[in-house]
Amino acid sequence: MSLYTEYREEIATRKDQGLSPKPIDDGALTAEIIEIVRDTAHEFRDEALNFFIYNTLPGTTSAAEVKAKFLKEIALGTATVAEITPTFAFELLSHMKGGPSVEVLLDIALGDTADIAAQAAEVLKTQVFLYEADTTRLKDALDAGNAIAKDIIESYAKAEFFTKLPEIEEEIKVVTYIAGEGDISTDLLSPGNQAHSRSDRELHGKCLISEEAQNEIEALKAQHPDARVMLIAEKGTMGVGSSRMSGVNNVALWTGKPASPYVPFVNYAPVVAGTNGISPIFLTTVGVTGGIGVDLKNWVKKLDADGNVVLNDAGDAVLEEVYSVETGTVLTINTKKKKLFNADGTEELVDMASSFTPQKMEFMRAGGSYAIVFGKKLQTFACEALGAPVVSAFAPAKEVSVEGQGLTAVEKIFNANARGTTPGKTLHAGSDVRVKVNIVGSQDTTGLMTSQELEAMAATVLSPSVDGAYQSGCHTASVWDIKAQANTPRLMAFMNKFGLVTARDPKGEYHAMTDVIHKVLNDITVDDWAIIIGGDSHTRMSKGVAFGADSGTVALALATGEASMPIPESVKVTFKGEMASHMDFRDVVHATQAQMLAQHGDNVFQGRIIEVHLGTLLADQAFTFTDWTAEMKAKASICISEDATLIESLEIAKSRIQVMIDKGMEHESGMLQNLIDIADARIAQIQSGEKPALTPDDNANYFAEVVVDLDTIVEPMIADPDVANIDVSKRYTHDTIRPISYYGAEKKVDLGFVGSCMVHKGDVKIVAQMLRNLEAESGKVEFKAPLVLAAPTYNIIDELKEEGDWDVLQKYAGFEFDDFAPKNTARTEYENILYLERPGCNLCMGNQEKAAKGDTVLATSTRLFKGRVVEDAADKAGESLLASTPVVVLSAILGRTPTLAEYKAAVKGIDLTKFAPPATKPLDTLSAHF
C-alpha cells in the first residue's frame, strides 16, 4: 500500500470524527504527492495538488524539505506545474518559515540567474528564521563580492523584514465572549488530560472549554464577520496556573487569524481579557502568538461616601459594574490611543496602555514574539557582517516564566545575575534579560574598535561591578610587523588607562604577554556562577557561562558591567562507558558532535547552550570541550563540575593569577588580587557546603539531551572540511567527523600545527614524550612534514622548563621564538622541522602566519574554514583538518595520516588526557600535568 493510499484512508477516518485531513509532515508522503502532481492524468492529481499547496507543514519538517526542493525546480523552470507559476512558487516558499525554504532561497539568490536571484532575494528580505548555516552562506557570499548577498544583508541590517511590515490596525472591532466567571485556568482552554493531542492542532482544538462554547463562538463570528471574538474571564484573571502554549493555540484556532493561507490550523493574534487582566505567565505566551491581552477593569470595588471599600456579609468587597462586557457586546480597541471604546468609539471604557507597550506592539505587528527574537539576531548578524553599528529596530525586555519547571545551569546563572527583572520572578529560556557581567575580555584584532566604541559612548572608566577585565595581544602575537607596532601599544595604553589588565605594559615594566585570551579568561574566571563576555567567538569558559560578542557589546560590558540577551535554551550532554586508554579527550569532543548528529539528525546544539556534565575533568582540560562548542554552533556552554574538581581548578586559577601579579601585571585597582580573594571565598563556600558547585535542577527543561557513549570511541577522530563534497553547502562545516581509518594511511599531510586555545599544558607534554619515545626507538626523530608548535601561554612554557619537557622540544626545534627579536614578517615557507612559536593564536587565526597555498594541514586548532589556516592554490584546494595532538604530531613525522596500529604504538605509555564520567570512579590524575 502506498503512503498516499494510507493517507486517504486516514482522511476518511478523520472525516467521520469531524476532522479535516491531517497536515502533512512526512517527506516520503510529500514525495509521493509530488509524483502525483507531476502526472497530469492521475485521478487524484487535483486533491494531491491541494494537499501540496495548502496542507504541508513548513519549517524543518521532512515534508517541508521535499516541498522546498520541488518549489526550487519550479522557480528555476526545471519543473512545470500549470497551477504553480515560478512567482507562486516564491510565494509558497515565503510562507515556509525557514530551514529548507531558506536554504532553497539562498541557493537561488546566490545563483547565476540574475532575474530569478533577485526574486529570491526579495523573498529572503522578508524572512527572519535564519540560522547560523544560512547567515554563514550570506556572509561568505558577501565577502566574495556577491551583490545580491550585500543587498539582502543591507536589508537585514535595516531590519526591513520588520520595518516594512504593515502597522497594526488603528481600530480593532471585538465581540465579547465570557468564557467563565472568576479566574480562568489555562486548563479550561487546554485540559491537561488532553495533552496527547496537542500536536494535532485541529483535534486538540476540540477540547477548548466545551462543544457548546465552541458553537457559541462560531455563531458570534458569523454574526460579526468584521469583529474578532474576545475571550473573557469575567470578574477574574485570564490564564492562571500556567503559560500553556496549547491553550493559547486553541484560543487562536477558534478566535484568531490564520498565520498563512498555506499552513492549516496555525492561527495567531487571539484577543483575551479579564476583569483583572491576564496572568503574567500566560500573557507572555499570548505574546508568542502576537495576541492582545486586555485588563478590562469592568468591575471595581464599591466605595462608600467616605471612600472605604464596601464589604458584603462574608467580608468580601462588593463589586460594581463600570461597563458591561456580556457575551455579544461589540467594542472597539484603538491601538493608537491605547484605549478600549464602545462599539462606535464615542465612549472610552478603559485605558489599555499596558496592553500596547512598544514590545507587545512589535509582537502583534510581526505575528508573534519569536519573529522578533529571531529578527534581533538577524539584524545583529547583518550589521556585524557589514561592519556597521547595530541600530536596533526593536523594543527591549520579554520575561518568560514556567510554573513548576526547574532551572538549567544557564537559567540559574542568568537569574542570579539578572538586573531590572520582575522581583521574585524566576526566568526561563526565552526571556530577554539584562545581566551583570563578571569578566570581560577584549582581544587585539577587535580591541581598537572596542576602544572607539568606548569613546563614542563617552566612557572613561571600567564599570566597578566588573570583577576582571583583560586586553589580550594573542591574535597578533606571531609577527611584530609595522601594523602591530603601531596599533598594539596604543591599544594597550588606552585599555590599561580604562581599567583593564593588559598583555603589554604601556610603561614597559613587565614582559609582553601574548597568551591566548581564552586561556587567560579561563584562569581569571574564578566563580562558576560568572557571566563572561569576550570579543571572540571562542569566549567559552569551563567555569561560568561565556559569550563571544562584537566590539560594541564588549565595550558596553566594560562600560556598564551589563549585557542584554535572551536566556538560551539548553542541551544536556552526559557520558557513559569507559574511555579507551589509547584515546585522547579531543577525540571525545569530536565524537560528541558525531554522536549528537546520529542521535538527533539535526544539530540540536545550534544556537543553544551546551550543558556538559564533565564533572571530574579539570578546567584546563574541560576547556577543550567548551572551546569546541563554537564549532558545534552552540550559543555557549557550561561545564558542570564536581565539588572537588572545581576546587582544584580554582586553586590552579589562583596560582596562575598570582604568576600574573608576580610578573608585575597587577592593575592599580588591585583587580588580580581581588580575583584571588573571590576564588578563596568561592572555595570556602564549596568546602563548607554553603553553596556547592553549580548544578541544574532535576526537573530542568532541556531542548534535547545527548548521551555520549565512550565505549564506541575506539579510534582517533578528525574533523574534515570535506572540500570535494559535491554539495557545496556541506563543505567547510565542522559536522564531518571521520575516524583515521577512513583515510587508509594515504592522506598526505603537508604541515602539522599544535596550538591555539584547544590545547593545554598536557598537549605540549605529549609532544615532548612522543619525541622521547621515537628517539628511544630509532635513535633520532625526522619530520616528513613541518610541525608548528605554539603553546597557549607563557606560564605553560615556564612550567615545562621546570619539568624538563622544554629541553626536549628545543633539542628537535629548527626554530625557537625570541621575544627580544620577534619576527617582523610572516613566514610563507616551511621546512620539515619543528617550529617553537611564540605563545598565541598563530596559524589558527590566519591573519599573520599561514600555511602554503593548497597545503593539507592537520591541526589541533578550531577553524577549518576556507582561507583561514590555508588558502587554495590554483590547482588544489587548501585543507585544514582538525585532530588531537598525538595524531597531528605523528602525521607530521610520517607525512601522512597514520594507521590505527601506528597510532597505538606511538602513544603507548603516554599520559593522554583521561576522562571518566562523574558517575564512575575518577581515573588517576596522570593526565592532569600540573
Side-chain angles (χ1 to χ4, degrees):
M1 183 184 294
S2 72
L3 293 174
Y4 191 74
T5 301
E6 292 178 2
Y7 184 55
R8 296 189 83 248
E9 290 183 355
E10 181 190 68
I11 289 172
T13 301
R14 288 176 68 87
K15 187 175 181 179
D16 291 340
Q17 300 170 346
L19 297 171
S20 306
K22 193 172 183 179
I24 298 165
D25 61 3
D26 178 55
L29 173 58
T30 307
E32 285 193 21
I33 288 172
I34 290 171
E35 290 309 307
I36 294 172
V37 171
R38 291 182 193 269
D39 182 358
T40 56
H42 200 286
E43 62 175 317
F44 299 130
R45 183 180 181 279
D46 287 346
E47 71 173 19
L49 181 65
N50 186 74
F51 292 149
F52 178 79
I53 296 173
Y54 297 105
N55 209 47
T56 307
L57 290 178
T60 56
T61 64
S62 61
E65 182 175 5
V66 174
K67 180 175 181 176
K69 288 178 179 177
F70 186 49
L71 291 172
K72 178 182 179 181
E73 292 181 40
I74 295 172
L76 292 174
T78 58
T80 301
V81 177
E83 298 86 348
I84 304 177
T85 64
T87 298
F88 188 31
F90 280 121
E91 167 75 5
L92 292 173
L93 284 166
S94 75
H95 286 259
M96 292 181 67
K97 295 295 184 183
S101 61
V102 167
E103 182 180 353
V104 162
L105 288 166
L106 285 170
D107 288 344
I108 300 172
L110 303 179
D112 299 326
T113 310
D115 57 337
I116 300 296
Q119 282 184 268
E122 289 307 307
V123 177
L124 278 168
K125 290 177 184 178
T126 68
Q127 304 297 295
V128 294
F129 292 99
L130 273 72
Y131 289 84
E132 188 172 333
D134 308 313
T135 55
T136 297
R137 288 186 68 186
L138 278 171
K139 179 62 165 60
D140 289 345
L142 173 72
D143 292 343
N146 185 291
I148 290 285
K150 182 179 181 183
D151 182 43
I152 295 168
I153 292 174
E154 285 177 344
S155 175
Y156 289 156
K158 299 172 187 174
E160 289 181 339
F161 48 78
F162 175 70
T163 61
K164 288 191 173 183
L165 290 173
E167 297 283 351
I168 62 175
E169 311 104 300
E170 182 173 349
E171 287 192 345
I172 299 173
K173 291 285 185 183
V174 296
V175 57
T176 62
Y177 181 78
I178 296 177
E181 288 197 7
D183 291 348
I184 290 182
S185 167
T186 51
D187 212 51
L188 181 70
L189 312 176
S190 169
N193 61 8
Q194 298 297 311
H196 63 278
S197 65
R198 287 175 185 167
S199 61
D200 187 343
R201 289 197 179 206
E202 185 189 19
L203 175 59
H204 194 67
K206 300 287 187 181
C207 71
L208 175 78
I209 308 175
S210 67
E211 185 176 351
E212 180 184 9
Q214 294 162 21
N215 292 334
E216 291 170 348
I217 289 170
E218 286 298 291
L220 285 172
K221 289 161 65 176
Q223 294 166 18
H224 305 278
D226 62 338
R228 290 153 66 177
V229 174
M230 179 167 70
L231 216 61
I232 296 173
E234 176 78 318
K235 299 182 182 178
T237 301
M238 174 64 78
V240 300
S242 72
S243 58
R244 196 152 297 179
M245 189 72 233
S246 55
V248 175
N249 287 341
N250 278 351
V251 175
L253 183 65
W254 287 99
T255 69
K257 300 186 292 185
S260 165
Y262 312 113
V263 183
F265 310 117
V266 177
N267 285 10
Y268 76 108
V271 184
V272 294
T275 293
N276 302 324
I278 317 299
S279 168
I281 191 170
F282 189 66
L283 187 59
T284 301
T285 314
V286 171
V288 168
T289 58
I292 301 173
V294 186
D295 188 357
L296 292 170
K297 299 185 176 69
N298 60 313
W299 291 87
V300 297
K301 294 176 181 178
K302 184 176 181 179
L303 304 179
D304 60 22
D306 297 325
N308 298 314
V309 176
V310 178
L311 304 178
N312 60 19
D313 293 341
D316 298 324
V318 175
L319 300 179
E320 57 182 2
E321 190 176 48
V322 179
Y323 62 95
S324 174
V325 294
E326 67 176 323
T327 294
T329 302
V330 176
L331 304 171
T332 300
I333 296 172
N334 189 299
T335 63
K336 291 281 175 61
K337 296 179 180 178
K338 302 182 181 181
K339 297 179 186 298
L340 180 67
F341 291 88
N342 62 357
D344 61 10
T346 58
E347 180 185 355
E348 178 184 332
L349 302 177
V350 70
D351 180 78
M352 290 183 62
S354 62
S355 300
F356 294 103
T357 63
Q359 185 184 47
K360 291 176 182 176
M361 292 183 77
E362 285 179 352
F363 297 166
M364 297 169 200
R365 186 178 177 188
S369 62
Y370 293 165
I372 296 300
V373 172
F374 275 81
K376 289 177 180 178
K377 291 170 64 178
L378 191 56
Q379 185 184 25
T380 300
F381 149 74
C383 292
E384 290 176 352
L386 295 168
V390 178
V391 181
S392 178
F394 306 100
K398 176 180 77 170
E399 293 185 343
V400 176
S401 186
V402 184
E403 186 174 333
Q405 179 176 302
L407 297 176
T408 64
V410 72
E411 288 169 341
K412 284 191 173 184
I413 292 175
F414 268 63
N415 276 276
N417 290 280
R419 291 180 169 178
T421 57
T422 303
K425 189 172 185 178
T426 300
L427 302 180
H428 289 84
S431 300
D432 287 321
V433 186
R434 286 170 49 224
V435 289
K436 176 187 183 298
V437 174
N438 306 88
I439 304 293
V440 185
S442 171
Q443 54 99 331
D444 39 325
T445 53
T446 60
L448 288 173
M449 292 183 287
T450 299
S451 66
Q452 291 169 351
E453 297 280 358
L454 290 168
E455 289 172 330
M457 63 178 69
T460 59
V461 65
L462 178 70
S463 168
S465 66
V466 173
D467 297 324
Y470 178 73
Q471 173 63 58
S472 83
C474 59
H475 286 63
T476 54
S478 302
V479 182
W480 191 234
D481 56 17
I482 294 174
K483 291 180 181 179
Q485 293 173 39
N487 294 327
T488 304
R490 177 161 55 94
L491 172 62
M492 297 294 168
F494 179 95
M495 289 299 190
N496 197 269
K497 181 179 180 182
F498 193 83
L500 283 71
V501 171
T502 52
R504 284 180 175 270
D505 183 4
K507 302 173 184 176
E509 295 178 1
Y510 59 79
H511 182 72
M513 302 282 282
T514 56
D515 294 351
V516 174
I517 182 173
H518 322 303
K519 292 295 190 182
V520 178
L521 295 183
N522 204 40
D523 285 338
I524 68 173
T525 299
V526 288
D527 188 348
D528 49 328
W529 290 75
I531 292 177
I532 304 97
I533 297 291
D536 189 284
S537 62
H538 288 94
T539 305
R540 291 159 187 266
M541 306 301 100
S542 52
K543 301 185 290 283
V545 62
F547 299 91
D550 61 275
S551 59
T553 301
V554 171
L556 196 63
L558 289 170
T560 67
E562 294 183 6
S564 297
M565 66 186 84
I567 303 176
E569 295 174 300
S570 293
V571 176
K572 184 178 182 180
V573 176
T574 55
F575 303 85
K576 68 177 183 179
E578 184 175 345
M579 189 174 167
S581 61
H582 64 279
M583 301 306 299
D584 185 77
F585 183 64
R586 175 70 181 254
D587 299 309
V588 175
V589 174
H590 285 179
T592 297
Q593 192 154 346
Q595 292 190 27
M596 174 273 295
L597 291 170
Q599 290 173 30
H600 293 276
D602 294 326
N603 185 353
V604 295
F605 291 154
Q606 184 163 318
R608 300 182 175 92
I609 298 290
I610 297 178
E611 184 185 284
V612 56
H613 291 244
L614 289 171
T616 60
L617 211 55
L618 294 171
D620 271 18
Q621 300 162 328
F623 186 78
T624 303
F625 189 103
T626 57
D627 194 31
W628 183 258
T629 60
E631 308 342 308
M632 293 173 177
K633 300 182 181 178
K635 178 78 172 177
S637 59
I638 293 179
C639 178
I640 304 302
S641 294
E642 294 182 345
D643 286 354
T645 306
L646 179 57
I647 289 173
E648 188 173 353
S649 292
L650 291 175
E651 291 289 358
I652 293 166
K654 283 171 52 184
S655 68
R656 300 259 174 88
I657 296 170
Q658 186 60 54
V659 168
M660 295 172 73
I661 294 174
D662 294 343
K663 289 185 176 181
M665 297 179 70
E666 177 66 286
H667 195 270
E668 60 185 25
S669 65
M671 178 184 291
L672 294 175
Q673 181 57 53
N674 184 57
L675 289 170
I676 291 177
D677 294 342
I678 293 172
D680 282 334
R682 184 70 188 103
I683 290 169
Q685 287 178 328
I686 299 168
Q687 289 175 332
S688 68
E690 174 190 348
K691 188 178 181 182
L694 172 68
T695 56
D697 291 331
D698 291 337
N699 61 336
N701 182 59
Y702 295 93
F703 176 82
E705 296 193 27
V706 175
V707 180
V708 180
D709 187 351
L710 299 175
D711 289 334
T712 64
I713 308 171
V714 295
E715 59 178 302
M717 312 290 284
I718 291 177
D720 193 322
D722 205 10
V723 298
N725 195 310
I726 192 169
D727 183 349
V728 177
S729 68
K730 300 289 179 63
R731 300 175 189 172
Y732 304 105
T733 77
H734 287 75
D735 292 341
T736 302
I737 309 293
R738 291 168 168 156
I740 57 169
S741 59
Y742 172 88
Y743 302 95
E746 296 176 350
K747 183 74 171 179
K748 184 176 182 292
V749 173
D750 299 302
L751 183 145
F753 172 52
V754 174
S756 87
C757 45
M758 286 294 289
V759 299
H760 54 84
K761 178 184 171 184
D763 289 280
V764 186
K765 290 182 76 71
I766 287 170
V767 178
Q769 189 57 50
M770 290 184 75
L771 294 176
R772 289 191 187 99
N773 289 357
L774 289 166
E775 181 184 65
E777 182 179 337
S778 57
K780 61 179 180 178
V781 178
E782 292 183 354
F783 291 91
K784 292 186 179 179
L787 178 62
V788 177
L789 171 61
T793 63
Y794 279 92
N795 63 7
I796 285 176
I797 293 176
D798 291 341
E799 292 167 17
L800 292 169
K801 287 179 178 178
E802 292 177 6
E803 296 164 13
D805 295 291
W806 196 254
D807 290 342
V808 177
L809 298 173
Q810 285 178 314
K811 179 178 179 179
Y812 288 101
F815 169 87
E816 183 178 358
F817 74 92
D818 182 355
D819 276 335
F820 297 101
K823 286 183 295 182
N824 52 30
T825 57
R827 181 180 287 108
T828 57
E829 295 181 353
Y830 297 82
E831 300 176 46
N832 292 342
I833 59 174
L834 173 63
Y835 293 83
L836 294 181
E837 295 287 357
R838 196 181 198 186
C841 301
N842 201 272
L843 282 164
C844 188
M845 275 301 298
N847 64 325
Q848 292 186 320
E849 300 283 76
K850 269 191 184 300
K853 289 183 178 181
D855 270 1
T856 293
V857 181
L858 195 60
T860 61
S861 58
T862 58
R863 297 304 201 196
L864 48 67
F865 302 140
K866 184 176 183 178
R868 187 68 179 258
V869 173
V870 59
E871 295 178 354
D872 293 346
D875 59 342
K876 182 181 179 297
E879 297 178 89
S880 175
L881 289 83
L882 309 179
S884 67
T885 293
V887 170
V888 171
V889 174
L890 184 57
S891 297
I893 291 169
L894 297 173
R896 58 170 172 79
T897 53
T899 65
L900 181 58
E902 287 172 329
Y903 169 81
K904 285 185 175 180
V907 300
K908 188 174 182 180
I910 293 179
D911 296 332
L912 302 177
T913 307
K914 295 187 176 80
F915 166 66
T920 64
K921 183 179 178 181
L923 296 171
D924 60 58
T925 58
L926 285 176
S927 65
H929 300 304
F930 294 112

